[in-house]
């Protein structure tokens, strides 16, 4: 009898182990298989939340079919203690393993709301944006200029206080160091006021993730380190026989390229015009150098360029010398006239192989290039015709003066 009982017990144990092995195999396959989520969602993990709460929330949202398996899988992988707070994008059909990786990763929010501070040539904007997980696009909720006296939108204050909001500073190509320093000082989530202005050209235009409480000085140091690296990399791979000798001169040339064109495919061609002029001993004669000579990068010139500006009279009167006006100077200006981006720096040290010495706007947003003065004069004449036609069209569309006078 006991032998019979033992045999039955062994049979039951074998079946139980077989079923348990099957259950484990099924659970592992469920953990790594594509999930049921039909459309991407934003998952918010609140401060202090635990993995049980998160798994149940995911179950209610239809992202996982078996919250218990998610918890067991995360626990087996020893990841439950790594749960991060924030808002995370859970993509369509994400597996439980992928979801675990997302919510226990580096902690950077990938969904929800963000505040972006855009430092541009003409103005600085703060934008409050929210990601639509279904489309991957951001919807703007508010926008204002931190350097203005306009009231700060309530949506900004609300989003700024949320623990899972992300923050970025985006610096456009062609801004000056003064503009960057002034704008950063006006961003209320950064610490620092009256930060010294970094040398012109030494800040890398890029997107920088920030956190409330970061210092302006530290952020500027990050920008300078990035620009130093970009310049060193480009200088190492420079073309031979360039008509300048130092990375600093390359940076000055790159800044002129940056101010003269915003079209990527034109940068190397514009650089070739500068290089060809330098090689032939021609003055560069570029208007942005006149403007920088007058303003030293501190604001925009709010009037047209005058003949006295071209002659260097204004720069001498304001600063006692002509250091940037390439209509008066031979060779490159005393230094950069803005902060060029990586592409402009690379174009400056690897210009296109052309015989161009001139260019002028062509009416399409780009430029018409010429090797001879005669060809350039024809291009200028065409541009004047385009300008006159555009003025006539504008007058026909709005014949009344803006102030309503006659």
């Amino acid at each position: 009898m006991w032998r019979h009982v033992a045999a039955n017990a062994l049979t039951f144990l074998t079946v139980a182990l077989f079923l348990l092995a099957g259950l484990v195999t099924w659970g592992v396959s469920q953990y790594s298989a594509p999930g049921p989520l039909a459309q991407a969602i934003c998952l918010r993990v609140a401060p202090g939340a635990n993995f049980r709460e998160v798994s149940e929330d995911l179950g209610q949202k239809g992202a996982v079919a078996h919250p218990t398996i998610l918890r067991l899988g995360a626990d087996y992988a020893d990841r439950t203690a790594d749960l991060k707070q924030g808002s995370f994008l859970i993509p369509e059909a994400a597996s439980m393993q992928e979801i675990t990786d997302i919510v226990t990763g580096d902690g950077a929010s990938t969904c929800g709301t963000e505040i972006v501070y855009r430092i541009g040539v003409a103005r600085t904007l703060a934008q409050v944006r929210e990601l639509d997980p279904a489309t991957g696009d951001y919807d703007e909720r508010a926008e204002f200029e931190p350097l203005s006296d306009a009231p700060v939108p309530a949506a900004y204050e609300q989003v700024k206080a949320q623990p899972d909001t992300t923050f970025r500073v985006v610096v456009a190509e062609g801004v000056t160091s003064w503009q960057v320093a002034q704008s950063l000082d006006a961003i209320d989530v950064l610490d620092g006021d009256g930060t010294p202005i970094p040398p012109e050209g030494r800040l890398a235009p890029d997107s920088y993730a920030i956190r409330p409480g970061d210092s302006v000085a530290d952020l500027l140091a990050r920008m300078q380190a990035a620009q130093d690296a970009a310049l060193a990399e480009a200088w190492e791979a420079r073309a031979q026989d360039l008509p300048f000798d130092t990375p600093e001169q390359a940076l000055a040339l790159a800044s002129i390229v940056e101010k003269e064109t915003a079209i990527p495919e034109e940068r190397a061609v514009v650089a070739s015009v500068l290089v060809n002029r330098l090689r032939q001993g021609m003055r560069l004669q570029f208007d942005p150098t006149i403007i920088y000579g007058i303003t030293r990068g501190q604001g925009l010139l709010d009037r047209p360029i005058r003949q006295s500006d071209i002659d260097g009279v204004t720069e001498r009167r304001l600063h006692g010398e002509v250091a940037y006006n390439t209509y008066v100077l031979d060779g490159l200006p005393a230094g950069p006239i803005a902060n060029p981006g990586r592409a402009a720096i690379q174009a400056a040290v690897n210009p296109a192989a052309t015989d161009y010495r001139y260019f002028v706007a062509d009416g399409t947003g780009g430029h018409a290039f010429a090797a001879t003065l005669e060809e350039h004069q024809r291009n200028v004449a065409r541009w004047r015709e385009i300008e006159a036609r555009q003025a006539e069209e504008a007058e026909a569309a709005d014949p009344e003066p803006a102030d309503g006078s006659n």
Side-chain angles (χ1 to χ4, degrees):
M1 176 181 177
W2 289 109
R3 187 179 299 173
H4 181 69
V5 171
N8 287 340
L10 182 60
T11 300
F12 286 135
L13 180 60
T14 302
V15 172
L17 290 174
F18 180 80
L19 292 174
L20 179 62
L23 182 62
V24 170
T25 301
W26 175 79
V28 170
S29 67
Q30 289 293 305
Y31 186 69
S32 58
L37 193 60
Q39 181 175 288
I41 62 170
C42 276
L43 173 71
R44 184 172 186 272
V45 180
N50 58 43
F51 224 96
R52 175 180 291 277
E53 293 168 337
V54 171
S55 63
E56 294 297 335
D57 188 21
L58 285 164
Q60 292 174 6
K61 288 180 166 61
V64 298
H66 306 284
T68 301
I69 293 178
L70 172 61
R71 292 196 300 274
L72 291 173
D75 188 57
Y76 180 79
D78 199 23
R79 302 293 296 274
T80 54
D82 297 329
L83 181 65
K84 303 295 193 303
Q85 72 177 61
S87 290
F88 303 99
L89 178 64
I90 308 299
E92 174 185 338
S95 70
M96 286 184 269
Q97 184 174 9
E98 290 171 335
I99 292 173
T100 300
D101 291 340
I102 290 170
V103 299
T104 63
D106 60 11
S109 292
T110 55
C111 202
T113 54
E114 70 169 5
I115 296 176
V116 184
Y117 305 94
R118 299 188 183 277
I119 303 175
V121 173
R123 60 178 180 166
T124 294
L125 285 177
Q127 297 174 322
V128 180
R129 313 193 314 162
E130 184 169 10
L131 180 70
D132 181 349
T135 64
D137 296 329
Y138 278 93
D139 297 325
E140 280 196 20
R141 293 179 53 185
E143 181 180 279
F144 70 100
E145 297 186 36
L147 289 167
S148 74
D149 295 328
V152 175
Y156 171 78
E157 297 291 355
Q158 177 186 1
V159 169
K160 185 179 68 171
Q162 294 174 356
D164 52 353
T165 296
T166 58
F167 300 81
R168 287 190 297 128
V169 170
V170 179
V171 180
E173 294 89 348
V175 300
T176 67
S177 294
W178 178 87
Q179 288 175 308
V180 175
Q182 290 289 107
S183 297
L184 294 183
D185 281 346
I187 295 175
D188 58 1
V189 299
L190 293 175
D191 289 342
D193 189 21
T195 307
I197 300 172
E200 195 65 80
R202 308 303 302 204
L203 304 178
D206 207 342
S207 176
Y208 298 88
I210 62 171
R211 294 183 178 182
D214 285 353
S215 76
V216 172
D218 287 346
L219 180 54
L220 288 172
R222 287 168 57 192
M223 294 178 182
Q224 287 184 266
Q227 191 75 322
D228 288 346
L231 181 58
E233 178 185 343
W235 185 253
E236 184 68 22
R238 68 188 182 279
Q240 299 300 312
D241 301 323
L242 292 171
F244 46 86
D245 304 317
T246 68
E248 290 70 24
Q249 290 173 313
L251 199 63
L253 191 146
S255 69
I256 299 175
V257 172
E258 194 68 84
K259 299 299 285 188
E260 284 291 346
T261 184
I263 300 177
E265 55 269 24
E266 280 195 353
R267 290 191 180 105
V269 183
V270 170
S272 76
V273 174
L274 277 79
V275 167
N276 289 339
R277 287 193 171 201
L278 289 173
R279 284 175 174 155
Q280 297 174 31
M282 296 176 61
R283 287 180 174 170
L284 297 181
Q285 297 183 323
F286 287 100
D287 290 355
T289 66
I290 295 177
I291 296 171
Y292 190 87
I294 295 170
T295 66
R296 291 298 198 265
Q298 299 189 15
L300 304 175
L301 188 65
D302 58 356
R303 58 171 177 77
I305 294 175
R306 303 167 182 159
Q307 186 60 47
S308 60
D309 301 328
I310 297 173
D311 296 338
V313 174
T314 309
E315 189 173 352
R316 286 192 184 93
R317 177 170 53 80
L318 292 174
H319 306 290
E321 61 175 341
V322 175
Y324 291 92
N325 183 345
T326 55
Y327 280 82
V328 176
L329 296 169
D330 294 323
L332 289 163
I337 61 172
N339 288 288
R342 181 182 290 269
I345 295 172
Q346 292 173 341
V349 297
N350 287 284
T354 78
D355 57 357
Y356 296 142
R357 296 183 299 165
Y358 308 92
F359 63 88
V360 68
D362 64 1
T364 68
H367 296 87
F369 296 87
T372 67
L373 181 59
E374 292 76 16
E375 183 183 0
H376 176 60
Q377 288 173 335
R378 290 194 294 271
N379 290 338
V380 170
R382 280 194 290 270
W383 169 238
R384 298 302 180 211
E385 292 174 359
I386 293 171
E387 282 187 309
R389 185 167 62 252
Q390 290 175 341
E392 292 174 359
E393 291 172 352
E395 176 66 22
D398 185 17
E400 292 295 329
D403 61 1
S405 61
N406 295 317

